[in-house]
Amino acid sequence: MGLMDGKKGIVFGVANERSIAWACAKQLADGGAEVAFTYQNEILEKRVRPLAESVGAKIIEPCDVSKNEQVESVFKKIGDSFQGLDFMIHSLAFANKDELSGRYINTSREGFLLAMDVSVYSLTLLCRHAEPLMNGRNGSIVTLTYYGAEKVIPNYNVMGVAKAGLEASVRYLSSDMGQNGIRVNAISAGPIKTLAASGIAGLRTMLEHCVEKSPLKRNITAEEVGKTALYLCSDLSSGVTGEIIYVDAGYNIIGM
Ligand code: NAD
């Protein structure tokens, strides 16, 4: 008996085998869930499709979250095939590389709006589509955030402001959707070397800092994030919503 036996869900944000979304999908599939996957574009499809097929996925669809028609199409497919939805992982974000170094004050209007659209608004959009499919099924939604939402992290810049918006969205969405039994939570993950993280100037320093300062004296793995996603998507966390859960080797509790 797996924790997720009989449950069906969708994972947004797999780019390759290093993606946090993949680590989440793997834990959920290993736990017995049927998982649908999306990929951002055709270039990434080549990476995503074999991974998805390795855990028996039948639904593997394109979805750029900045395109309403692609989002609508994915949820139509889910509605037709799954006839309901038990969990959704939102593990995606984007900002132009030149906004992720130097001074935050230089963020352009276009760069700001793009980061907000893809990294923040997309959660609200996906939740609105997921809600009717989750009604009556105690659905669970999980997104990914970072400590740069709360404290200044050099070079994280507009993404820190986006994550602050994302964390506030988690609270508003959990309040809206709670009456239908749907839970919304975020995992605040410590730094992990992924495709997206490589776009942030000084990632190596962030990783080294975590080893030096965190209580566990190490960095975390994507698998550890995946295990927390499994907890949040399963009935083990049935009373938990609107929370930001840290998987960061304890880094956030240190003052000095
Ligand atoms: P990743 O590069 O593997 O994943 C980022 C994903 O975002 C990719 O799959 C990409 O295709 C997707 N994406 C970007 N723009 C998109 C769009 N318009 N439409 C659809 N998808 C789009 O990197 P990751 O580190 O696994 O990132 C996943 C999430 O985890 C992000 O929200 C990131 O901010 C968050 N996070 C990462 C770290 C870290 O250190 N890696 C730490 C904390 C939080």
Side-chain angles (χ1 to χ4, degrees):
M1 272 286 286
L3 263 182
M4 301 301 289
D5 280 351
K7 298 210 188 238
K8 297 176 180 188
I10 183 163
V11 174
F12 291 85
V14 181
N16 56 38
E17 69 291 345
R18 286 176 168 240
S19 295
I20 293 173
W22 170 242
C24 296
K26 188 87 177 52
Q27 289 293 326
L28 290 156
D30 289 352
E34 189 172 349
V35 184
F37 289 77
T38 65
Y39 53 88
Q40 185 190 349
N41 54 41
E42 279 170 20
I43 299 166
L44 292 177
E45 180 183 5
K46 293 188 191 70
R47 296 279 184 134
V48 177
R49 194 165 282 281
L51 290 172
E53 284 171 354
S54 75
V55 292
K58 292 187 192 76
I59 305 175
I60 309 166
E61 290 290 306
C63 186
D64 180 328
V65 294
S66 63
K67 298 185 172 135
N68 284 335
E69 63 285 2
Q70 289 194 11
V71 173
E72 278 157 22
S73 161
V74 164
F75 280 95
K76 168 93 177 50
K77 193 102 184 190
I78 292 290
D80 292 346
S81 303
F82 278 180
Q83 269 128 35
L85 197 63
D86 300 298
F87 63 86
M88 177 170 81
I89 305 288
H90 172 276
S91 180
L92 58 92
F94 184 78
N96 287 324
K97 200 172 160 61
D98 57 2
E99 311 281 9
L100 298 173
S101 64
R103 300 178 79 207
Y104 168 70
I105 202 170
N106 292 326
T107 306
S108 68
R109 184 188 299 269
E110 296 71 31
F112 187 93
L113 294 176
L114 177 64
M116 290 296 156
D117 185 32
V118 174
S119 317
V120 186
Y121 179 68
S122 62
L123 178 67
T124 301
L125 177 68
L126 298 186
C127 282
R128 195 158 64 243
H129 284 278
E131 186 176 41
L133 297 173
M134 286 186 164
N135 281 340
R137 299 175 70 119
N138 295 330
S140 174
I141 294 163
V142 176
T143 187
L144 268 295
T145 186
Y146 177 60
Y147 192 51
E150 301 163 61
K151 303 286 177 188
V152 174
I153 304 287
N155 303 312
Y156 202 60
N157 296 356
V158 71
M159 193 49 72
V161 177
K163 292 301 190 193
L166 183 75
E167 293 184 6
S169 303
V170 165
R171 291 183 282 272
Y172 278 91
L173 290 164
S174 64
S175 170
D176 277 357
M177 298 170 89
Q179 62 201 346
N180 298 326
I182 302 168
R183 300 181 293 111
V184 188
N185 293 286
I187 299 173
S188 185
I192 303 173
K193 200 168 185 314
T194 60
L195 196 63
S198 306
I200 304 159
L203 174 69
R204 224 180 71 190
T205 312
M206 287 162 81
L207 291 163
E208 287 167 3
H209 202 70
C210 194
V211 173
E212 201 183 313
K213 304 287 185 195
S214 69
L216 294 181
K217 300 287 174 228
R218 65 172 176 85
N219 283 294
I220 56 132
T221 63
E223 187 190 3
E224 289 175 311
V225 179
K227 287 192 286 188
T228 299
L230 174 62
Y231 154 74
L232 285 173
C233 290
S234 76
D235 290 340
L236 289 180
S237 61
S238 57
V240 180
T241 193
E243 292 294 338
I244 314 295
I245 297 189
Y246 296 90
V247 181
D248 66 347
Y251 182 86
N252 75 94
I253 62 140
I254 297 296
M256 188 178 148

